[in-house]
Amino acid sequence: MEEDEANELRDFSAPIFFNQPRHMEDIRGLKMLEKSWKMTERMKTVSVALVLCLNVGVDPPDLIKPTPCARLECWLDPLTMNPNKSLEAVGNSLQKQYERWQPKARYKQSLDPTVEEVKKLCLSLRRNARDDRVLFHYNGHGVPKPTQNGEIWVFNKNYTQYIPLSIYDLQSWITGPTVFAYDCSNAGAIIEHYKLFCQQRSEEANGENDVETPVNKLENCIHMASCSSNEVLPLNPDLPADLFTSCLTTPIKTALRWFCINNNNLLVPNVTLEMIEKIPGRLNDRRTPIGELNWIFTAVTDTIAWNVLPIKTFQKLFRQDLLVASLFRNFLLAERIMRSFNCSPTSHPNLPATHNHPMWYTWDLVLDRCLSQLPSIIDNGQEFMHSTFFEDQLTAFQVWLALGSKERSVPEQLPVVLQVLLSQIHRIRALDLLGKFLDLGVWAVELALSVGIFPYVLRLLQSSARELRPRMLFIWAKVLAHDISCQVDLVKDGAYKYFLYILADPQMTSNDRAMAAYVMAMIVKDYPIGKEAAQQSNIIAVCTELLDDSNPLLRQWVVLCLGYEWHGYDPARWCAVRDNAYEKLYHLLSDDCVEVRASVVYALGTFVSNKNDRSGQADNIDQGIGMTLAGCVKDASPVVRKELVVALSGFVLEFESYFITTASKLMRDSDYEKEKNRVGNTHSGSTAPGGWIYVPNKNNGPPPLPLPYHGSDSSHFQATRRSRLISSPSSHSLSPPTSGDFHPALERLLSLPTRNVYNMVWRALITLLHDPFPEISDLGKELYNYLMIKITASNSSPTGSLRPSDSFSSAVTSQGLDDVSVLSIKKTFKGIERSRSQPQMPISDMMPHSQQFSSKRTVFGRGPGPLNSDSSDDETDNRIYRLPNVKTELGSWCSSQFRKSLLKPINHYDPSSQEYYNNEWKYLSNAEIRAEAAASYRYLSKSQLDDECFIQRTNFSPQIIRFMEYKKAVVVAGQNEINVWNWEQSNKVKTFRNNLKNHKISAMEIVNEHHLPLLLVGTDDGSLRLWKHFDDDENLKLVTAWKGLSDLLKSSFRRSGLVVSWEQEAGKLLCSGDVRTVSIWDVRREMKVQEIPTGADSCVTSISGGADKSSLLVAGCGDGSVRLFDRRLPANESRVKTLFEHKAWVVKVHKQSGGSGNIISGSIAGDVKFWDPRFTESVKTISTQCTLNAMDVHKEADIFVCGSASQVIQVYNHSGEMNSCIKYHDGFRVQRIGPISCLAFHPYRVMFAAGSKDCLLSVYSPPDKRR
């Protein structure tokens, strides 16, 4: 039972590799969408016109008022005072009510005015306000209703007549932007006529330019009217006559009175209207009853508007202008109250109905609880009990976050969370919930910013509370990942120091400091003012102190922050020089984290790539960085190597003239060595025991190291170079220079040893040009094309026209460039030829940094700029020598990771995700397959593996076969093509080519078989490629690629190419082949962790490490030896045994898993030996009596299979007994097999596949296993 349970749980604990974001997605930043939350302009109301037409004591002729009726104006009864004083008192009271909302505005009263007074007032206010907003408040309770012609009423000078004032004229005087508030009967008619007049002006403007009154300003005006065009204001004596104005300016008092009147004192029977005036507190003090009511009212009305209005309208009315926002919050109350009296307030922009929104019932509950305490507070002095409104709303928001579905609607409590940020009592909880909401995705961040969260979280950066820091870091990381332009606001008020202090605070956790480093990186990225501010705050010293932190995310963003800081900013570069910051980055080039290594390469690349004036010291520093970067060319991660191409391109462009000279020298040296080797090989040479060719030296001493092999293109490349020297008309320019050809500094440069920086970087670029990852090779081609054009142009005769020769095209092609690239170069040279068909220009004028150097220039200085030429020549040169477009989006991609969820677990670890349940089902299914296979092992002695259950003809001769563990599929490779077959249904699942250069496939493994399988393919040039979706209908994707082996050695007869062994549990990949070492790669870190010398003079043909995390490594070699290595020992001491019983090429070595750790090996001579690692002699030998071409050992069962060129397949058990023998037979309906080229067992099932040289693929199993 325990074994069964362990079998079921095995896959749940098995590691998964190549599942990081860098493997699952392209390294590209997310496209920045238009930020709708940011308003293009902020407005403020600076002037207010209060126009009151009351005519106290005289009722308008078109209205008969009952007795009693509403009399209060601004909570004053004008009939109790002298008419003149009462009008003035009402005006002053209205001004004070507005001043509560906008105390800094310029107020002007116009009491019972004439037309001229209104005109003068409007023109004056607009002149002073300029482009700011003006508020025009009109009270028409003492004049007739607006006319059908779009007119309101004012008075004549003697107050004997009502004089009409056209809205058309009012538009011309006050223009826009303006806010209009109309408190009169039929007020909606004013808005209708206003829009008609705007339309009329627009039609007039189409014919002629109306500069005096811009139509767009008029159309953007805001209007609020107390009722619609056919309604009369309420005259209830318990309410003020200016009920609409009271709602707009004194909402809490109006709401309390209406609540008491409307509920007939049923809910609060002991509260009177007089007691309402005695509610203690101030509106701006949230700790008092009246202040808390005002705070809750703001939250309620904001919530209603947020949930009802479109975002654009909400921002315009509630976030653009403080006064307008307050008025429209109060307008929502006015709509609710006045609708209860059969009046429908209207506005422009038009708002949907909000009077019946559910949040109003919450507001009623708040009023009820407040008023119920009022008698005891007034009479007994009882302490006020604060409302639980905000706690309840936060709880509702928390429930929404916890239980909402993926298709959830917008949370209505979001504006409440914004208001709670102002409260110290609820702030921590609100920030926690806000962070969880922002973690839902980009849409959540956009919503939070749209509701107006930004100024609140910006203000909170002034707080020194330590408990807020982690929460503020998380929120700001999300905000900056969504919109980096917020960096401006952080720098403007010095708020960036908040994050810099956290970054330098050792008491903060490393995760918090990582977010602080990210925020600082975003602040200085491409923002000179931010760079300067951070530099003054000593950011480079702070960052360099954190380079050795244990948190990889912190190391990554500290490095990126340094790169952003000194990119294009010389003061930061020289500060880094003084602190040796760039040197402190070197050791991170071998960091365990791929993103850290890539960030270091980026930062060093930006340090070098600087277009400002330079000195000899700067050049020396950059050359040291260039040499360091060139050593990263063998990094296993394509993310690092892509950044390396960009970094080296900046270095090349900085020292362009030297690279042109160095490249020319390398071409000459390469051609000379090739010719020398060709002549020398015709006379002498020696062959190592393993078949490698040695090139004898000129002193007839001991042979040097084997000649590096660079793949199948190397010989063609060298031959092309040689033919170029012989046939090219301009080849004389590649000969060794005479004393007068170059400046002495360049002559000294040509005599530098091979290890000089320019040679190293050039060779690194050539390596990247042949990179197995296409994106990297494409970037390399871009840079290489640019250099080759310049090199060829510089090597052409100064007096002759420049013509691209055929030898140049062949040389470019031999370097791995495609036909399109060559064609583009040819087109470029045609442009050069056309541009030089006129009077010839010296080559120094055409080539930047190629003319004669000044004698005072330092050896490591940059070349001078080009000589002066006319603008047409400059344009031609810029077109011909277009700078290479070599760039990546690493920084943007790293930043985009903060857009993802940082709080939720990854899906396959999250029990609430569908992916988790899919994986659980798959793991249990895998366990059933393993259990079923294990049960069949006991019947091996009674059944033979000779039933051919699958046979198909392939398009190639199979070279490598791999069964998929948990799918009924077999993967077969030959030369450069891969086929995936379903062996049960006998159909082809997928076919594809491994690479475009036709390198032979020599190794193949399947990674993550228990999860989502990936196909690892190795070729004879040392390249490794990892493919995703190789076994399904989805598009094939290259996950990663790197050089598992470099500097492969030539062989005189047979080559093993690249051989690998994959250890799934340990995440290690063992690589060897035509080299003298065994390389061990840690795929989680994507770096080589160990390189063990084999000590053999022949290639490694097979390698095995076992699946039990053992330190023992077994390698079979071409000379017949089997070598055992202990990985725990130092590399030079790790070979612990060498077994020499085989006398020929070792076909297969297999280290058994489990306690015994026995080793099985077979050679091409047909002898199969069993070894105990403790002894130097084999414990058993089985002779197959035939020459072996292929062999495989079952992973679990005690059987192995051998295949020979004599068309025989033999299956043995470990005791040496033959289980099956499959031979070629003539006749009808018999098995036909060809010379065996490859064999492979299924990892668990008792079956094997065989590939033959006549392009046949077969699968054999016991008779009862046919499926």
Side-chain angles (χ1 to χ4, degrees), residues 866-878:
L867 299 178
N868 294 332
S869 59
D870 56 30
S871 59
S872 61
D873 289 334
D874 290 340
E875 292 175 2
T876 303
D877 291 342
N878 291 334

Side-chain angles (χ1 to χ4, degrees), residues 615-851:
S615 63
Q617 180 187 5
D619 289 341
N620 291 335
I621 292 173
D622 290 347
Q623 288 165 359
I625 295 175
M627 293 186 69
T628 304
L629 288 175
C632 300
V633 72
K634 296 182 181 180
D635 196 289
S637 173
V639 180
V640 177
R641 299 198 306 277
K642 282 172 66 176
E643 290 304 313
L644 181 61
V645 179
V646 179
L648 293 182
S649 70
F651 183 83
V652 168
L653 295 178
E654 290 296 327
F655 300 95
E656 182 180 292
S657 58
Y658 289 126
F659 273 97
I660 294 173
T661 307
T662 302
S664 300
K665 178 181 180 296
L666 288 177
M667 291 178 183
R668 291 193 296 273
D669 292 346
S670 177
D671 294 332
Y672 175 75
E673 289 295 332
K674 181 62 179 178
E675 184 66 19
K676 177 181 177 181
N677 293 339
R678 185 184 67 81
V679 176
N681 288 339
T682 60
H683 302 287
S684 62
S686 60
T687 304
W692 287 335
I693 296 176
Y694 286 137
V695 180
N697 59 19
K698 60 182 179 181
N699 298 323
N700 297 323
L705 290 176
L707 185 67
Y709 173 72
H710 297 287
S712 60
D713 291 338
S714 180
S715 60
H716 176 62
F717 168 70
Q718 301 291 355
T720 305
R721 285 280 174 82
R722 186 171 63 254
S723 65
R724 175 184 172 186
L725 277 175
I726 298 172
S727 62
S728 174
S730 61
S731 62
H732 64 277
S733 63
L734 294 181
S735 59
T738 61
S739 59
D741 287 340
F742 297 104
H743 188 271
L746 288 182
E747 292 183 5
R748 291 195 299 272
L749 175 63
L750 294 177
S751 63
L752 288 176
T754 308
R755 293 289 296 174
N756 82 73
V757 60
Y758 306 112
N759 291 6
M760 289 183 63
V761 173
W762 179 258
R763 288 181 169 89
L765 290 176
I766 296 300
T767 303
L768 294 170
L769 182 67
H770 293 275
D771 196 275
F773 202 78
E775 294 182 18
I776 299 174
S777 61
D778 289 344
L779 291 176
K781 290 174 185 177
E782 183 81 16
L783 182 58
Y784 182 80
N785 286 352
Y786 172 80
L787 286 176
M788 289 304 294
I789 293 172
K790 289 253 182 169
I791 291 168
T792 305
S794 66
N795 289 331
S796 301
S797 174
T799 58
S801 61
L802 299 174
R803 298 179 183 272
S805 63
D806 294 336
S807 61
F808 170 75
S809 299
S810 63
V812 175
T813 307
S814 69
Q815 287 284 20
L817 295 176
D818 51 22
D819 294 337
V820 177
S821 301
V822 176
L823 181 60
S824 65
I825 297 176
K826 289 183 177 181
K827 290 182 178 179
T828 303
F829 272 96
K830 290 179 181 179
I832 298 176
E833 184 176 358
R834 286 195 301 269
S835 65
R836 307 304 181 211
S837 60
Q838 284 85 25
Q840 295 300 319
M841 178 184 294
I843 191 70
S844 60
D845 289 351
M846 182 189 66
M847 291 296 301
H849 313 305
S850 294
Q851 60 270 38

Side-chain angles (χ1 to χ4, degrees), residues 452-594:
I453 212 78
F454 184 78
Y456 290 81
V457 294
L458 184 62
R459 191 186 310 170
L460 284 176
L461 294 179
Q462 302 172 6
S463 173
S464 59
R466 294 188 64 87
E467 63 271 13
L468 296 185
R469 292 182 179 181
R471 298 164 176 87
M472 294 302 298
L473 282 170
F474 187 89
I475 291 172
W476 273 102
K478 289 290 185 180
V479 170
L480 286 172
H482 180 71
D483 189 354
I484 194 175
S485 65
C486 297
Q487 61 188 178
V488 178
D489 301 274
L490 291 174
V491 174
K492 182 170 57 177
D493 299 324
Y496 70 94
K497 295 180 180 179
Y498 183 90
F499 305 101
L500 194 58
Y501 292 153
I502 294 176
L503 185 61
D505 187 356
Q507 297 182 2
M508 299 297 294
T509 66
S510 59
N511 284 333
D512 292 338
R513 297 172 88 180
M515 287 193 180
Y518 166 71
V519 173
M520 289 305 304
M522 294 299 99
I523 289 174
V524 302
K525 183 179 181 182
D526 300 328
Y527 186 45
I529 299 177
K531 294 176 190 287
E532 181 181 358
Q535 171 66 19
Q536 293 174 355
S537 300
N538 208 18
I539 190 174
I540 291 181
V542 172
C543 289
T544 51
E545 290 293 326
L546 299 172
L547 292 176
D548 295 324
D549 191 89
S550 59
N551 189 338
L553 187 64
L554 176 56
R555 298 197 302 272
Q556 172 191 347
W557 280 108
V558 162
V559 173
L560 283 175
C561 184
L562 288 174
Y564 291 152
E565 172 66 20
W566 62 47
H567 180 44
Y569 186 59
D570 248 11
R573 289 184 77 248
W574 287 113
C575 179
V577 170
R578 290 191 296 270
D579 293 347
N580 288 328
Y582 65 95
E583 291 184 352
K584 296 176 182 178
L585 295 179
Y586 288 169
H587 73 282
L588 292 179
L589 290 172
S590 58
D591 194 274
D592 289 345
C593 178
V594 170

Side-chain angles (χ1 to χ4, degrees), residues 772 975-976 993-1001 1019 1021 1025 1027:
Q975 191 59 34
N976 189 32
R993 291 176 63 84
N994 181 57
N995 62 80
L996 300 178
K997 296 184 180 179
N998 209 32
H999 291 298
K1000 179 182 176 182
I1001 296 175
T1019 52
D1021 66 336
R1025 292 173 176 84
W1027 298 98

Side-chain angles (χ1 to χ4, degrees), residues 162-236:
Y162 299 108
I163 305 299
L165 171 60
S166 174
I167 299 298
Y168 188 91
D169 294 334
L170 186 63
Q171 287 179 343
S172 303
W173 300 335
I174 203 167
T175 64
T178 307
V179 181
F180 294 93
Y182 310 110
D183 189 353
C184 60
S185 298
N186 292 9
I190 303 176
I191 299 179
E192 294 176 1
H193 285 92
Y194 189 98
K195 291 190 288 187
L196 288 175
F197 291 145
C198 285
Q199 184 177 358
Q200 178 181 340
R201 289 181 184 274
S202 178
E203 295 174 355
E204 294 173 354
N206 291 334
E208 57 185 67
N209 189 14
D210 186 2
V211 181
E212 296 182 359
T213 310
V215 179
N216 59 339
K217 289 188 176 182
L218 296 176
E219 293 177 344
N220 290 329
C221 290
I222 299 173
H223 303 262
M224 293 176 287
S226 56
C227 58
S228 62
S229 58
N230 55 355
E231 294 176 344
V232 179
L233 296 178
L235 298 175
N236 190 326

